[in-house]
Amino acid sequence: MAESIIIRGETKEEKYKSLLPQLKSLAEEPDQYAALGNIISALKYSMDFFWAGLYIVKNDELVLGPFQGTVACTRIGFGKGVCGYAWENKKTVLVDDVTTFEGHIACSTESKSEIVLPIFGKTGDVIMVLDIDSNRLADFDPIDESYLMKTVHIIEGIVNS
């Protein structure tokens, strides 16, 4: 297993293409929590995200899981904020300006844009969400969505094994 992540490329897409095989390698770690922690760290630092983390469905709320970045909200209700909305609607949510998202939960005032992707369990229920924040407005686009969806599939392989 890799002890470091090496990112090559100038464009966002080239960086993601360089990162994905390394995420797959990190997913080979037999301890689920260790694998998820390293994947989140690799995402945050290789793509220069402000914040990256997982929220895990526990009973009727999302509970903070492995993350990298500033101190975060620890619990989010169903349908609340961007993460809760993605959970409730079972779909990716991309927000260019978090101040325009009704009900946005401001865990950090430095967060300006956000993308949240649901992660599904074996039965098709959302079991967690991948939350990525940027300190720049409109920082996420279809390239991020496409490659983060591939990351979600890697994470689903870990949590559904």
Side-chain angles (χ1 to χ4, degrees), residues 46-61:
S46 63
M47 298 306 294
D48 194 31
F49 294 136
F50 173 70
W51 195 94
L54 295 167
Y55 280 95
I56 302 162
V57 175
K58 293 187 179 181
N59 301 317
D60 295 331
E61 59 189 353

Side-chain angles (χ1 to χ4, degrees), residues 17-94:
K17 284 182 179 179
S18 175
L19 176 62
L20 274 177
Q22 296 174 85
L23 296 181
K24 290 177 184 175
S25 177
L26 293 172
E28 294 173 6
E29 162 58 46
D31 184 89
Q32 183 182 93
Y33 196 80
L36 294 174
N38 271 336
I39 286 172
I40 296 303
S41 180
L43 274 174
K44 190 233 188 279
Y45 291 103
S46 63
M47 298 306 294
D48 194 31
F49 294 136
F50 173 70
W51 195 94
L54 295 167
Y55 280 95
I56 302 162
V57 175
K58 293 187 179 181
N59 301 317
D60 295 331
E61 59 189 353
L62 292 167
V63 178
L64 182 64
F67 78 97
Q68 292 285 316
T70 58
V71 172
C73 302
T74 56
R75 297 178 184 277
I76 299 172
F78 183 73
K80 305 294 183 191
V82 182
C83 290
Y85 183 88
W87 173 23
E88 178 181 31
N89 292 282
K90 298 183 177 187
K91 68 177 187 177
T92 297
V93 182
L94 195 152

